[in-house]
Amino acid sequence: MAAEEFGLAMGVGSQRAALENPEMEDSFTVVREHAPPHAFLCGNLGIIQLRDKGIEWADKAVEMIDAQALCIHLNPLQEAIQPEGDHDAAGCLDALQELCSSCRYPVIVKETGCGISRECARQLFAAGASAVDVGGLGGTSWAAVEQFRAKNPLQQALGLHFADWGGIPTAVSVAEATLAGGPVIATGGLNSGTDIAKAMALGAGLGGMALALLPPAMDGYQSLCDKIHQIQTEIRMSCYLTGSRNPSELRNIRKYITGITGEMLQYEENKL
Ligand SMILES: Cc1cc2nc3c(=O)[nH]c(=O)nc-3n(C[C@H](O)[C@H](O)[C@H](O)COP(=O)(O)O)c2cc1C
């Protein structure tokens, strides 16, 4: 409802559950029922399920919610921590390429907490991805979630150990993925309109939030609308105060990139 009211895009969670068990479809179709017909809705499927179940599942996910696009999520860290997880990524890029070359909807490839490097973004765009959603380090961590869901001490220890391991911070990932040339969506720890404005200044075309919108959504529809209104106002003020006529112009403003983010990007630049 809020996506429809504010003209936002919204992605559902992994539809694997409903594809395996059609009784659960209602919990996804409800989204389109409440956002007809305009809201830009994205379906969601893991790249492992795409590889194992094929394009048929991808098409079904899109049809289920009458989606305008499909998100294919990457979560190798989470899978690696889960004892029952898939620990073999062979064939995933080929499966993505096959999907992108045959489907009629845009495919967005998204990480879920570890970020996407420039090299990885290049591979994804070469495979036909329409956009890359970086899901960078600094926001929701599925390694940390696994620590709490752990069924045994090893899984718990791995979740804790890898909670912030090796991931690419969102700001760095946005700047890097942008160099790959395609559209980039910034996610991973964005909490405000100014966070979105900064991500757009670094090259992102869109910013996304999951965790930041959950507490107001749990509180109720009005709280969620108030939060979104605040975020939009923060973006508008960021544009105004930087002399940008619209969010796209934020990309052209002068940026100072300091601290560890600056060091990481400098390191990358020196390698070029
Ligand atoms: C409760 C929750 C459930 C999520 N479930 C999925 C999912 O099923 N599939 C997916 O691709 N991403 C999922 N995400 C990840 C988000 O789409 C997004 O990539 C990430 O959380 C963005 O960072 P943020 O939460 O720091 O804003 C989920 C996030 C949260 C908070």
Side-chain angles (χ1 to χ4, degrees), residues 13-14 44 73 110-112 139-140 142 187-189 208-211 214:
S14 174
N44 189 298
H73 71 255
K110 68 190 289 283
E111 235 300 319
T112 51
T140 302
W142 290 102
T187 61
M209 296 174 175
L211 192 61
L214 267 187

Side-chain angles (χ1 to χ4, degrees), residues 115-251:
I116 288 181
S117 67
R118 187 186 58 216
E119 295 82 355
C120 181
R122 279 202 183 123
Q123 284 184 302
L124 297 171
F125 287 127
S130 299
V132 160
D133 176 342
V134 300
L137 178 68
T140 302
S141 160
W142 290 102
V145 171
E146 286 304 316
Q147 184 193 329
F148 293 106
R149 290 179 65 224
K151 295 189 189 101
N152 61 58
L154 173 64
Q155 195 178 351
Q156 189 176 24
L158 290 174
L160 179 65
H161 188 70
F162 284 93
D164 60 0
W165 174 89
I168 308 170
T170 299
V172 177
S173 188
V174 166
E176 277 204 25
T178 300
L179 292 173
V184 171
I185 302 169
T187 61
L190 273 61
N191 278 313
S192 64
T194 45
D195 282 350
I196 294 176
K198 286 177 195 171
M200 294 190 76
L202 286 172
L206 291 172
M209 296 174 175
L211 192 61
L213 295 179
L214 267 187
M218 298 301 285
D219 198 35
Y221 185 62
Q222 194 51 50
S223 290
L224 181 60
C225 291
D226 291 347
K227 178 72 180 175
I228 294 171
H229 178 65
Q230 183 187 332
I231 291 166
Q232 287 188 330
T233 308
E234 288 162 356
I235 296 174
R236 267 192 210 104
M237 284 180 65
S238 304
C239 288
Y240 172 63
L241 296 171
T242 55
S244 311
R245 275 170 297 189
N246 54 56
S248 306
E249 286 192 8
L250 286 165
R251 185 182 278 233

